[in-house]
Amino acid sequence: MLSQIMAITGLNLKSIPERWASSLVIVVGLAGVVAVFTALLAMAAGFDKTLSATGRTDNAIVLRGGSDTELNSGLDRDSVTLIKQAAGVRKGADGKPLASGEMIVIAELVRQGDEKNGANITVRGVDANAFALRPQLKIVQGRKFRTGLRELIVGRGVTRQFQGAEIGKTLRMRGSDWQVVGVFESGDAHDSELWADAEVAQSTFSRQGFSSVLVGLDGANGLKTLQDQLKTDPRLTVDVKGEQEYFSGQTKNFRKQIGFLAGVVTFIMALGAIFAALNTMYAAVATRAKEIATLRAIGFGGGPVLVSVMIESLVLAFVGGALGALIAYLLFNNFSVSTLGENFTQVVFAFKVTPALVLTGLVISLVIGFFGGLLPAWRAARMPVTTALRAG
């Protein structure tokens, strides 16, 4: 039986060039399905990776109780001082608590290629310890801002997506002028931010307190120790989360929305691809009806005919899926865009066409090829020999 399957499959595959137009329908249709599916989920994967990569396991972020994001949070100076001195906070090289009171303000910049429409962007006022708490953040051009001056350092993603963020330029935000003195890279969501001295930002934007406090944790039990102490302090109403847990949670809604959209679009396109495959494979079987009947007449069984037609359908599906994955990779992998995050500010991220997405796309194309080839294969295997010979 195996020899019969191989013989018929070889004949089928060798005849594909003679039927290239109809075969191309399957390949192009499935390439489109897989390319769209992969591109949509590559966007979600890139956004997720950017925010999931933000934060360290040995840091924690403290927000006002009940606040989901830094933008909704507010802590007065006394509360920030109590948080910094709490048990569970790691000491820095100077023997003082390694913590940074930080303030979030939304500003507006004009995108590259646009003329007047602005987009929200995060301005983060930080203490000096912010750099020690985020060693992954490196100044790649220029220098750090100086304390007491209206100077900014900008994330690499900001320079790619927005105008006027180059070193030496002056940005006007909320009626105040700020000079850009440096560019930094962190490889995470902070690449979408502008950083300034917290005290200068507070006085400029008329803010009295902070949005959050980022603290270094003292050992493996630092997070629990900090949570327990702040929870029992009657002067404070705060929530404490691991830094990675906080930023990873920011992608939850986006992942759900993109996952749902990718599912709906893929399902609709897959239905079209299945019907295209059905039509193509029915035409292929009809074209070779006499050939199949002759094989059956000289002793080839219906089973090998069915399997060989299925193999042809799956081969075409695999080629289409691989082509779609390649198109998605070439067009979208590391393609940089920005979208609104949970803070209603722009988060710059790059599409990520991962091996898992490519594999999933190929599986989808094979499933479509299986169902698209099943009925034509069944028909070819069950076709009466005399009827097929007369039809040919």
Side-chain angles (χ1 to χ4, degrees), residues 218-238:
D218 188 14
N221 295 322
L223 179 59
K224 187 173 188 311
T225 302
L226 181 63
Q227 288 174 326
D228 290 344
Q229 173 158 355
L230 297 186
K231 185 177 180 181
T232 56
D233 191 327
R235 297 167 293 180
L236 296 171
T237 303
V238 297

Side-chain angles (χ1 to χ4, degrees), residues 14 32 45 67-68 73 94 102 115 128 132 146 149 158 160 190 206 237 250 252 299 306 308 323 333 343 348 355:
K14 287 178 182 176
S67 301
D68 293 328
S73 174
D94 56 359
E102 303 190 349
E115 294 185 356
R146 287 178 292 193
L149 296 180
V158 177
R160 289 197 299 261
H190 296 307
S206 302
T237 303
Q250 303 292 297
K252 186 169 60 178
L306 184 146
S308 66
L323 179 62
N333 193 45
N343 279 338
V348 180

